[in-house]
Amino acid sequence: MPKFFFLYFLLFTGIISAQNKNDYLWPLEQAPVLTANYGQIRSNHFHAGIDLSTYGKENLSVRAIESGYVSRIKVSAYGYGKALYITHANGKVSVYGHLNAYSLKIDSFIKKEQYKIESYEIDCYPKIKLNVKKGEIIALSGNTGGSTGPHLHFEIRDELSEVPLNPLNYYKINDHIKPVLQGLAIFDLSDTLNPKFLKAIKVNQTKVGPVTPQASITIHQSMIGFAFAGYDKNDGNGHLNNIYSTKLYVDNQEVYTHLLQAVSFDESRYVNEYAETSNGLVYQKCFLPVLAPADFVMNSSKQTRLVLKDTNYHAVKLVLADESANQTEVHFYVKTNKLNRYYSNISNYEMLIDCRKDFLYAKDNLSLQAPPYTFFMSSPLTVKNSIEANGKLVLLPFDVNLKSALQIRFKIPEKYLPYKEKMILRHAAGIYTPTFNADSVSFFVKNLGSFQIDFDLVPPTVQFVPQSKKNKTAVSNHLAFIIKDVTSGISKYKLYINQKFYLAEFDAKSSLLNYNFDQNVPRGNLDIMLEVFDKAGNKTVKTLQVKH
C-alpha cells in the first residue's frame, strides 16, 4: 500500500468516521481539529456549529459533505462572512461559514445577483438549481465576517425547522478524555424573581474514581439551585470545549438534564440566563427559569429548584458527559441549618411583569410593549423617564435577561424634531437605530438598563490606501480604502470606476474595503468615486483619479 494512501486511510477511518446512515464526508481534507464545539457559550448565544481548524491558513478546499443543491448564499461584512448553505435529500442543510471564495459556478451566479442589486452584502435563495455532488469542492476556507482567525465554521441544520443540530451526533471523533469539572456553585433561590449566587465550592479532582468536594456542604438557605463550571477536550486537541450532557440527581432522583444538541436561534439568548461568571469561572445553571428551551432541558423535572424541607443531609450527584460518552461524576451531600420560605422583593420597584402575558406600559408620552415570553421569568420593573428633560430613560433592574425584543416608543420631544432622522439610542450593549411613525419613534431593544438619546451627525470617514509611497495615484491590480463610522456604523457602500458600478468587498473587522481589478477595468486614467453611508443616513463621497 502506498505511504500516502495509508496515511489518508488512517486519517479518515481512525480519526473520524460517520456515526449514522448518512455517512457524511468531513468538510475539510485536513485532519479534523475542533477549535470550538456546538453549544459553546458565547456573548448572547450558544455556538450553533463547530469550528474547524485550518491551521492558521486560508484557501483550504471545502467539500460538500453530501450531494444536494445550493439553497442559500449569504455574503456579509459581519457574522458568517461569506456563507454557503446546501440542502440534502435527507432533510438536512449543511452550512459553511467564513469562506474566502466560492467555487466557480457558485461565484459566477452570486456575482450576477450582487451586480443586479449593486451590493456586496446579499442574502440570496437561488431560484435555479445549483447542484453539487458529494465531495465536490464548493469553496475555499477563509477569515471573512466576524471571524477572529482563519477557520471553517460548520453546521448541520434541520431543513424544516432551521434548528442547528450538533454535528458530533453525525460524526465520531477520537475522544477518550473525560470532561473536567472546575467548580461547583450554589444559588439562593428564595427570592423567586432574582436568583443570587450564594457560594462557590472547591472540588477535589482525582485521576481515579469520582470527583468529590472536600467536605459535605452546609448552607443557611433551604431553597437552592446548583451550577457547575467545567470544560471538555478531544484527543490531541488543546482547545477547551463546552460539555455536551449534564444530569443532576438529588437523593437518587434525576431532577435536571440538558443536552447540547438542538438549540434554535430563537432560543439562543437563553445563554444569558443559563450562564453566570464568578471569579473567572463560567457557571452553568442546573435550575430553570419559567421559560427555558424544551429541546435544551430534555426530561428535566419542574422542581429543578431544590426545596430542602428538613435539616438532614441529602445526596447530590452531578454527571457530566461528552458526545463520546466519556463521563465525570461528582458526589456530595448538602444540608441546611435554616428552613426559610420563598419571598419576592418587589417593594422597591414600580410594577411586576408577568412573563406569560402581554406587557404594556403607557405613561408620560412613553410606552413599553412586549408579547408573552419576552422575559425568561417574571420580573419587577421600575421606569425612570426623563426623555423630555435630558433624553434619558432608565429601566430597572439592569440585570434582567430578555429572550426577544422589548419595544420602547415615545413621542419625540419638540427640541429633537429638527434632528430626528439622525436619532439613535445608546446603551452599554451598543447602539439601537429607530423606526419612525409620525411624531413618534420606536426602538426594539434586547436589554434593560440605561438608555440615552443621541444623534449621529458625523458622516463616515474614507481614506484611500495607496499602493506606492512614491506614486500615490498609481495602481496595479486593486483599490483599497479604510472606511469607518464611530457612531452608528457602516450601512452600505458603492464603488464606481468611470461612472460604472464595481463590486467592492468590505471586511468590517479591519475596516478595509477592497476591489481587485478584473478584465473589465480599462487601462489608463480612472475616475474613482466611492459612496459610503452610515446607519443614520449620513453619506461621504470620496473621489480621486488614479492611473492603471
Side-chain angles (χ1 to χ4, degrees):
M1 180 183 293
K3 184 177 180 180
F4 77 89
F5 183 82
F6 178 72
L7 290 174
Y8 183 89
F9 180 80
L10 282 179
L11 176 62
F12 287 101
T13 59
I15 296 180
I16 183 163
S17 59
Q19 201 175 29
N20 67 357
K21 295 179 181 179
N22 293 300
D23 193 26
Y24 291 139
L25 285 180
W26 192 246
L28 294 174
E29 295 175 349
Q30 287 69 26
V33 175
L34 272 63
T35 58
N37 71 334
Y38 182 90
Q40 192 178 67
I41 293 171
R42 301 283 179 87
S43 176
N44 292 320
H45 70 282
F46 293 98
H47 192 223
I50 56 178
D51 286 346
L52 309 181
S53 173
T54 56
Y55 308 92
K57 301 177 182 179
E58 297 183 22
N59 298 320
L60 300 186
S61 296
V62 178
R63 311 181 304 173
I65 64 168
E66 182 57 271
S67 296
Y69 66 93
V70 177
S71 52
R72 184 182 181 189
I73 307 169
K74 185 174 183 180
V75 182
S76 174
Y78 307 91
Y80 289 0
K82 291 184 178 180
L84 188 62
Y85 300 71
I86 297 177
T87 297
H88 308 286
N90 62 358
K92 299 295 188 292
V93 178
S94 55
V95 182
Y96 313 78
H98 306 305
L99 303 171
N100 203 31
Y102 300 111
S103 66
L104 183 59
K105 69 181 178 183
I106 298 171
D107 185 67
S108 61
F109 169 82
I110 197 60
K111 271 193 169 57
K112 289 178 182 176
E113 298 299 311
Q114 289 171 308
Y115 271 100
K116 281 181 185 178
I117 63 173
E118 294 192 352
S119 173
Y120 169 70
E121 303 220 357
I122 190 170
D123 193 359
C124 176
Y125 297 80
K127 295 180 181 179
I128 65 170
K129 275 293 182 79
L130 291 171
N131 294 316
V132 298
K133 295 181 180 179
K134 182 177 182 177
E136 180 179 335
I137 295 175
I138 52 176
L140 298 178
S141 67
N143 187 31
T144 57
S147 171
T148 57
H151 72 281
L152 176 66
H153 175 84
F154 174 69
E155 297 177 16
I156 295 177
R157 298 186 186 179
D158 178 79
E159 180 185 5
L160 296 179
S161 67
E162 298 185 355
V163 172
L165 309 173
N166 190 337
L168 294 190
N169 285 334
Y170 299 88
Y171 296 97
K172 183 179 180 181
I173 62 174
N174 265 3
D175 183 3
H176 300 88
I177 302 174
K178 294 181 178 181
V180 175
L181 180 68
Q182 296 171 290
L184 293 166
I186 295 180
F187 281 74
D188 175 10
L189 305 183
S190 53
D191 182 346
T192 58
L193 304 177
N194 186 23
K196 295 184 180 68
F197 193 96
L198 186 61
K199 66 186 299 183
I201 307 158
K202 292 182 178 180
V203 296
N204 181 17
Q205 182 91 48
T206 58
K207 294 184 179 180
V208 180
V211 179
T212 57
Q214 294 175 334
S216 297
I217 303 160
T218 301
I219 54 176
H220 305 293
Q221 301 289 343
S222 57
M223 286 83 169
I224 59 174
F226 296 101
F228 72 94
Y231 61 85
D232 189 41
K233 296 172 71 175
N234 309 130
D235 291 1
N237 181 356
H239 296 278
L240 306 184
N241 296 322
N242 204 358
I243 295 170
Y244 169 67
S245 168
T246 301
K247 291 186 178 183
L248 180 70
Y249 300 82
V250 177
D251 293 332
N252 295 319
Q253 295 293 317
E254 182 178 335
V255 297
Y256 175 88
T257 300
H258 82 237
L259 299 174
L260 292 173
Q261 64 176 11
V263 183
S264 73
F265 291 107
D266 289 342
E267 304 284 6
S268 199
R269 286 183 65 87
Y270 177 63
V271 72
N272 298 322
E273 189 71 23
Y274 166 72
E276 186 166 325
T277 300
S278 178
N279 293 323
L281 291 179
V282 179
Y283 287 93
Q284 303 180 52
K285 299 173 183 175
C286 299
F287 56 91
L288 303 177
V290 172
L291 182 63
D295 290 336
F296 181 89
V297 289
M298 300 176 67
N299 304 320
S300 291
S301 162
K302 292 182 179 180
Q303 300 301 320
T304 57
R305 296 169 172 236
L306 182 61
V307 180
L308 301 177
K309 298 180 179 180
D310 55 48
T311 57
N312 300 327
Y313 283 99
H314 295 270
V316 180
K317 180 173 71 171
L318 180 68
V319 182
L320 308 175
D322 60 25
E323 291 90 343
S324 298
N326 301 301
Q327 189 168 290
T328 294
E329 293 187 13
V330 57
H331 300 259
F332 58 96
Y333 290 89
V334 64
K335 72 182 294 290
T336 181
N337 56 16
K338 181 182 179 181
L339 299 177
N340 57 316
R341 296 181 178 181
Y342 284 123
Y343 71 94
S344 295
N345 184 19
I346 62 172
S347 58
N348 296 326
Y349 293 93
E350 186 177 343
M351 68 198 81
L352 178 66
I353 298 173
D354 187 335
C355 67
R356 300 177 182 86
K357 298 180 180 179
D358 278 309
F359 168 68
L360 176 62
Y361 169 95
K363 185 178 180 181
D364 298 331
N365 294 322
L366 169 71
S367 70
L368 308 174
Q369 190 168 4
Y373 301 114
T374 296
F375 294 76
F376 284 103
M377 54 196 300
S378 296
S379 172
L381 181 69
T382 290
V383 179
K384 296 184 177 181
N385 176 11
S386 56
I387 292 174
E388 189 73 37
N390 56 21
K392 191 171 184 178
L393 173 67
V394 179
L395 305 178
L396 299 173
F398 281 60
D399 56 354
V400 170
N401 296 310
L402 275 64
K403 175 180 181 287
S404 53
L406 167 75
Q407 182 184 24
I408 298 174
R409 182 175 179 177
F410 54 86
K411 183 178 179 181
I412 303 172
E414 187 173 346
K415 62 183 177 180
Y416 295 152
L417 286 174
Y419 311 102
K420 76 171 189 176
E421 298 296 334
K422 307 299 182 184
M423 184 181 291
I424 57 174
L425 196 62
R426 289 188 180 274
H427 185 273
I431 299 294
Y432 292 101
T433 54
T435 300
F436 296 101
N437 183 8
D439 62 347
S440 295
V441 62
S442 294
F443 296 89
F444 293 87
V445 305
K446 292 187 176 180
N447 305 87
L448 301 188
S450 181
F451 300 89
Q452 179 67 54
I453 293 176
D454 202 350
F455 301 90
D456 184 358
L457 304 175
V458 181
T461 60
V462 178
Q463 178 186 355
F464 175 64
V465 181
Q467 295 179 23
S468 169
K469 292 182 180 180
K470 293 181 179 180
N471 188 346
K472 294 187 177 182
T473 62
V475 294
S476 57
N477 59 0
H478 76 277
L479 295 170
F481 299 85
I482 299 294
I483 62 175
K484 295 181 179 180
D485 188 83
V486 297
T487 307
S488 60
I490 299 295
S491 172
K492 59 182 179 179
Y493 34 86
K494 291 189 176 185
L495 175 69
Y496 297 90
I497 302 176
N498 294 346
Q499 299 182 337
K500 181 180 177 182
F501 174 80
Y502 284 83
L503 191 65
E505 299 189 6
F506 179 49
D507 180 59
K509 58 182 174 289
S510 64
S511 302
L512 182 66
L513 185 139
N514 190 72
Y515 172 68
N516 293 315
F517 289 170
D518 61 20
Q519 69 275 9
N520 296 316
V521 177
R523 289 283 178 177
N525 293 326
L526 304 177
D527 292 319
I528 307 298
M529 182 174 73
L530 177 62
E531 298 178 340
V532 182
F533 299 81
D534 65 19
K535 293 177 182 177
N538 298 302
K539 175 183 177 181
T540 296
V541 178
K542 176 75 171 180
T543 60
L544 70 153
Q545 278 195 336
V546 299
K547 188 173 182 179
H548 177 215

